Amino acid sequence: MRSSGKVYLLGAGVQDRGTLTQQALNLLQQAEVLIYDALVEDDLLQYVPPHCEIIDVGKRGGKPSTPQGQINQLLVKYCQQGKRVIRLKSGDPLIFGRAREEVEALQEAHCAFEIVPGLSSALAAPALAGIPLTDKYLSGCFAVLSAHAPATLNWQALAQIDTLVLLMGGRNLPQIVEHLQNQGKFPSHPVAIIQNAGSPDQQTWVGTLADIVEKTAGVALSPCIIVVGEVVSLQNTFQSPQSSPLAGKMILVTRAADQASTFTTLLEDQGARVIEMPTLEIRPPSSWEGLDQAIAQLPQYDWLILTSANGVEFFFNRLAALNQDIRHLAGVKIAVVGKKTAKFLQQRGLQPDFIPPNFVADALIEHFPASLPGQKILFPRVETGGRTVLVEELSHQGADITEVAAYESGCPAAIDPTALVALQQGKIDVITFASSKTVRYFEQLLSEAVGSEKIPHLLENLCLASIGPQTSQTCRELFQRVDVEAAEFTLEGLTEALVNWANPEKP
């Protein structure tokens, strides 16, 4: 009798998470148990639910690893418990993996399973390095092979193939070169080695059979892909760095926990690599009483002011919880701060009556479209820690403003481990901040993790980028500097500012 559990043997692609398929992403988001290999990008772990059990089985050649039999037992055990199990493998699960043993163990235990294809590094790595595997004139065929045991291969036959793609051959490069030359390949025959394909650390060496060993002497090449063939000479033809202004930049995006980042997409579209670091936890207020009373009296208000996407979401969710809808807002005008806030409002079927220029609260006060004396204004906002200037100035100008707690924001319990390691290893080029709170909580999390005295050293060689003046002020207060500030105080504006920073020579 089959259990209700199921195991998915899932290919993660290479270390560029853009190679993850949509099917793979959907399954990761539903995982109850994740069992993953050493070459899988840690960044992918952010997609699994908080309740998912994560098990690192770390299989990498030449290093201690979990025995295959133990991995098989884990898959069977969790499947028989009725769990949705993701067996996450780098590349494609059926190319030079141990999928057969795992499938046979699952079949023997009558466990349901499914193969989810992924993009193999054999295909992705050459493409990411600008090397085509086929060409009308230079390569009519290619072969993919494992080179961890060169002595067992038929080099006479392999030497006749136009293009060779060798996996797991980094430690055996001298033997590979020797075998190919012994079978008639000229010393001038092109070779490329692509290490850490798709990661910020990707590196490519291009040479010939005569000099590639010398060019990589002293380098620990694993993990790498070796490409042998005339197509290597086409590398420059297929590279266009001008099309990706943030190519090669690793950007740490501070954001709210459990919120998808539109900003990440904007940056990746410009060629950047992104690590997302949760620095805010958004949660309900300590009490709904104030907001509930305001909603009961909505028809009495002239204006509703919403200054954040969180304010929109929590206000309208509470409206629905009280069995009300947008009709309850008839006669109430709505002012919002920022394009993102306006977009979230539009998704609720409403158009804002007023959006101030510059997308900051100060501009709302300066350009408010109605005479303020006597105006009754409802302002649902964060419970603690928000700026008071809006309430103070509107009140000073004669408005009758009611501020109520619609949500609360706080600092996560601990820093994201992937972000911390990237900072400590010097892999980050830019840190972005979209609010003063993300700056403050980032500093708090980093201080708790490494000690405040080490922060200046960790940040000294990277760019601090801010969405606007208030956020910049907090950066200067805590870090004594800000390097980039958006001219337009939006995520799009911050993206443009970073593109200009990375390409200062362009008009």
Side-chain angles (χ1 to χ4, degrees), residues 229-247:
E230 295 293 345
V231 289
V232 171
S233 65
L234 298 175
Q235 184 193 34
N236 291 335
T237 303
F238 288 89
Q239 289 187 326
S240 179
Q242 293 81 10
S243 62
S244 300
L246 293 178

Side-chain angles (χ1 to χ4, degrees), residues 205-219:
W205 293 267
V206 176
T208 65
L209 290 175
D211 64 16
I212 193 65
V213 173
E214 181 181 352
K215 283 188 173 184
T216 57
V219 178

